[in-house]
Amino acid sequence: MTERRAILSGSTFEEEIGYARAVVDGDWVHVSGTTGFDYATMTISDDVVEQAEQCLRNIGAALAEAGSSFADVVRVRYLLPDREDFEPCWPALRRCFGEIRPAATMLVCGLADPRMKIEIEVYARRPATG
């Protein structure tokens, strides 16, 4: 039987909406769209770069709990309400993804809360254990 396990971050949104921060399904880790909220305090910065950095910390924590890391990411999606906010985030994104070069897409769309300026979703393949 393939392992399927939910990873929760403690975000109030997970309980209110009914989803998991990430789902491990066999070798795959599916990380939900993740925003720049600090889940310990449920606060969010007004600055898009700070939000991007917090997104990446949140994603990194979910990947680690799944037995994975940014090095295992094969796909990333960036969702932003304002296309002008994307380029300022590039240095932070490059720090996590520049060496591994996952397939990537950036979409301009509305997000669930007007305070949210970026949302990031990733898929990773866990390393083989032996």
Side-chain angles (χ1 to χ4, degrees):
M1 184 75 131
T2 300
E3 172 193 15
R4 185 180 190 285
R5 173 172 57 100
I7 295 173
L8 303 176
S9 67
S11 165
T12 58
F13 297 124
E14 293 168 351
E15 185 62 31
E16 291 171 1
I17 299 170
Y19 71 96
R21 172 63 38 224
V23 173
V24 177
D25 185 15
D27 293 339
W28 291 99
V29 182
H30 305 268
V31 181
S32 293
T34 303
T35 63
F37 272 92
D38 177 334
Y39 300 131
T41 61
M42 284 309 291
T43 59
I44 191 167
S45 171
D46 290 333
D47 181 75
V48 68
V49 174
E50 289 177 18
Q51 285 192 27
E53 290 169 348
Q54 184 64 50
C55 288
L56 295 168
R57 285 190 292 274
N58 295 340
I59 291 167
L63 289 170
E65 190 172 335
S68 193
S69 72
F70 283 107
D72 303 311
V73 172
V74 297
R75 179 81 166 120
V76 60
R77 285 193 184 90
Y78 305 106
L79 310 165
L80 294 94
D82 183 349
R83 78 181 73 247
E84 300 300 318
D85 281 343
F86 191 45
E87 190 170 348
C89 297
W90 291 357
L93 303 175
R94 191 170 38 253
R95 280 192 296 279
C96 286
F97 301 116
E99 294 297 316
I100 58 166
R101 308 246 183 197
T105 301
M106 185 280 239
L107 298 169
V108 175
C109 61
L111 298 180
D113 182 316
R115 296 173 292 174
M116 298 171 179
K117 296 183 179 189
I118 186 169
E119 185 169 325
I120 303 172
E121 171 185 82
V122 304
Y123 299 94
R125 186 159 191 176
R126 296 192 306 167
T129 57

